[in-house]
Amino acid sequence: MIMKKAIIIGSGIGGSSIGALLCSIGYKVELFEKNSLLGGRYSTYTKVDDDGREYKMDVGCHLVGNCEKGSIGKVFNEIGLPNAIKWSYASHPRPIFYYINQFIKFPQEIHKIGLNNRDFKSAFKLFDKLKSITDEEIRELEENQVTLSDFLKDYTKNEKIFSLMSFINGMYFVISPDKASASEWIRCQNEIQRNKSSGYPIGGTGIIANTLCKYIEDNGGTVHKETEVSKIIIDNQTAKGVELKNGEQIFSDLIISNAGVINTVNNLIEHSVLDNKYIARINKYEYSLATVQVKVALDKKITDQKMIMFLGEEFDLDSVEERYENMLDEQIPDFHPVLFCPIVSNIDPSVAPEGTQLIYAGGGCPMPNDGFSNKNHKDGWEKACINSLERIFPDIRDHILWIETTTPEDIMNFVDEAGCVIGISQAADQMGANRPDFQVPNISNLYLCCADTGTTGIGGELAANSALNLFDIIKNDI
Ligand SMILES: Cc1cc2nc3c(=O)[nH]c(=O)nc-3n(C[C@H](O)[C@H](O)[C@H](O)COP(=O)(O)OP(=O)(O)OC[C@H]3O[C@@H](n4cnc5c(N)ncnc54)[C@H](O)[C@@H]3O)c2cc1C
């Protein structure tokens, strides 16, 4: 058999996964990554503090939905390395809510939020429905493009329950519940409940792409860091290769872009070879929202928790919109009302020096393309997030060694996609048949593989799902 060659643009979870999968069936893979770190939004870098101590820091702020039982785990199984990543679960203790002013185990202690009998019953009716819902019902919700808000309204009108469910939705998909796909929320929620394996890869999220890229290199492929692709060469409606920023051209049988669907279509493909309707359709897709992340190193361990979901006040849809408008008006809140806080060094002690603690706190903020500069408000965001953390840990300020804040603008400079968290969002009208396709119409040998083209999963697992599905398509085409 003649060895086929595949070029991959980008080393995010989608790119490194499809590269490794193709290597496993004999493709010669050449991967180009514009950054010096591998992994895109799942990259990890090393920070050295003033005392020369090292911390492993993620570019994003992560918890992996299902670890070895999810789609990232399946990629490693598929390439014959099921144990290459050591996972550490975010359990013992399990993730916990900090709701207004108290810790609440969810759902066991939902009564603590102060529900009357009727609301309490409606909450449990909802939980029972989630457990018993059939695949057919989920498919129907998807086809009818039912949003999470509309789905929840059939069970409860209670704002407290709505707030908790919306929080979980925000944590998964980083969009508002009136846009989120109910079917996708139920699928992901049920998968997490079933697997009970949410956690973190030992060594930081970057270990995933680094391990996959090493597999590519160990199997005859090449991985080029700091090498940006400037265009995809298309001749006679067939993708032939790529041109690098330095002008060099490299040719291949297959070209797979992990550089985001909108970015690939707008910036890497000559528009004259594309149908205008396709360009317009791709540009209509909406991204998920963005977050600001405050990463705090402490001089001692102040908590045994591994993951805290901070909800500083109840909210309904109107207040979410009002808050967003206020933020755009440059009114950074005094405290951030909604934070996702992995205490990353409790999940993986290897990421921080012994005796210290590393806490991440990520919360929603305006998108850079809404004309707002989070970068100019770094101090404000930092203050807002620390004020919220102080509600959970009153003495946190006494122990802060340093704080590092990452804004959506940092993410945008790093991977593009408008600085958003996930990619093209899992909105009700962007799922199922409406998800971007792997193939670019009328262009052969060119595929798109990233979270944007994933059909189900949270963040990194959505990107790995995309790689697994594309792998099946390519295998069937051989
Ligand atoms: C703050 C934050 C928090 C998050 N939290 C979580 C979480 O808790 N759990 C979770 O699972 N997910 C989380 N995510 C989402 C998750 O990180 C992403 O959905 C996922 O990693 C996207 O993977 P991807 O394969 O689509 O590509 P990306 O990560 O977008 O990678 C694309 C790669 O392509 C490269 N590239 C782009 N253009 C070029 C070019 N022209 N030439 C060469 N290379 C190029 C980029 O540099 C990048 O490395 C979070 C993301 C952020 C930003």
Side-chain angles (χ1 to χ4, degrees), residues 89-301:
Y89 291 165
S91 52
H92 309 295
R94 288 183 56 189
I96 192 164
F97 270 100
Y98 189 86
Y99 184 84
I100 317 275
N101 55 8
Q102 60 179 332
F103 281 108
I104 294 184
K105 287 185 194 149
F106 185 77
Q108 307 91 311
E109 294 182 341
I110 194 167
H111 56 276
K112 281 195 185 172
I113 64 175
L115 298 179
N116 64 31
N117 217 1
R118 200 193 60 212
D119 287 329
F120 190 69
K121 277 191 187 150
S122 70
F124 275 87
K125 199 171 138 213
L126 170 65
F127 300 149
D128 285 344
K129 181 67 196 169
L130 293 177
K131 276 190 209 146
S132 63
I133 195 162
T134 63
D135 289 348
E136 190 51 44
E137 285 174 296
I138 296 178
R139 248 194 314 277
E140 239 171 68
L141 289 169
E142 181 169 285
E143 275 164 24
N144 294 329
Q145 300 184 10
V146 176
T147 64
L148 179 61
S149 292
D150 284 342
F151 173 77
L152 291 177
K153 273 182 209 150
D154 282 347
Y155 292 89
T156 181
K157 307 240 172 335
N158 182 289
E159 282 180 5
K160 294 173 181 174
I161 303 173
F162 183 84
S163 303
L164 292 175
M165 295 301 156
S166 301
F167 185 104
I168 295 172
N169 164 69
M171 207 167 62
Y172 290 174
F173 307 135
V174 202
I175 44 173
S176 72
D178 64 331
K179 291 206 165 163
S181 155
S183 58
E184 179 62 352
W185 183 83
I186 295 167
R187 248 186 242 122
C188 292
Q189 173 68 14
N190 284 355
E191 190 184 12
I192 283 183
Q193 289 304 324
R194 201 170 47 242
N195 289 334
K196 299 199 181 342
S197 59
S198 296
Y200 187 79
I202 299 281
T205 50
I207 196 90
I208 297 172
N210 276 285
T211 307
L212 292 168
C213 286
K214 179 165 185 313
Y215 176 86
I216 292 172
E217 290 183 320
D218 288 348
N219 287 278
T222 326
V223 174
H224 307 267
K225 294 183 193 173
E226 296 180 83
T227 311
E228 185 168 344
V229 168
S230 57
K231 81 169 188 199
I232 296 169
I233 302 165
I234 295 172
D235 183 25
N236 226 349
Q237 298 304 116
T238 304
K240 300 277 186 184
V242 294
E243 185 170 306
L244 306 182
K245 218 174 168 189
N246 66 9
E248 192 185 340
Q249 296 193 331
I250 294 124
F251 295 91
S252 175
D253 302 297
L254 281 188
I255 318 294
I256 299 173
S257 177
N258 171 235
V261 167
I262 299 174
N263 180 33
T264 302
V265 167
N266 286 347
N267 301 318
L268 296 181
I269 307 176
E270 196 85 59
H271 275 195
S272 59
V273 301
L274 296 175
D275 179 8
N276 284 338
K277 279 194 193 137
Y278 175 70
I279 300 172
R281 181 155 63 80
I282 292 301
N283 279 287
K284 269 205 190 130
Y285 278 111
E286 287 190 5
Y287 286 123
S288 78
L289 299 172
T291 60
V292 64
Q293 307 151 75
V294 171
K295 298 158 184 174
V296 193
L298 304 174
D299 64 7
K300 70 174 238 192
K301 190 170 173 176

Side-chain angles (χ1 to χ4, degrees), residues 42 63-74 87-89 172 187-200 456-458 460-462:
Y42 254 55
L63 203 68
V64 181
N66 299 278
C67 294
E68 81 284 3
K69 294 183 189 161
S71 55
I72 294 177
K74 286 188 187 132
W87 299 99
S88 174
Y89 291 165
Y172 290 174
R187 248 186 242 122
C188 292
Q189 173 68 14
N190 284 355
E191 190 184 12
I192 283 183
Q193 289 304 324
R194 201 170 47 242
N195 289 334
K196 299 199 181 342
S197 59
S198 296
Y200 187 79
T456 183
I458 298 166
E461 292 189 339
L462 183 66

Side-chain angles (χ1 to χ4, degrees), residues 14 33-35 40-42 61-63 229 258 293 422 451 460:
E33 168 53 57
K34 72 180 167 80
N35 290 321
R41 276 168 278 194
Y42 254 55
C61 158
H62 290 95
L63 203 68
V229 168
N258 171 235
Q293 307 151 75
I422 305 289

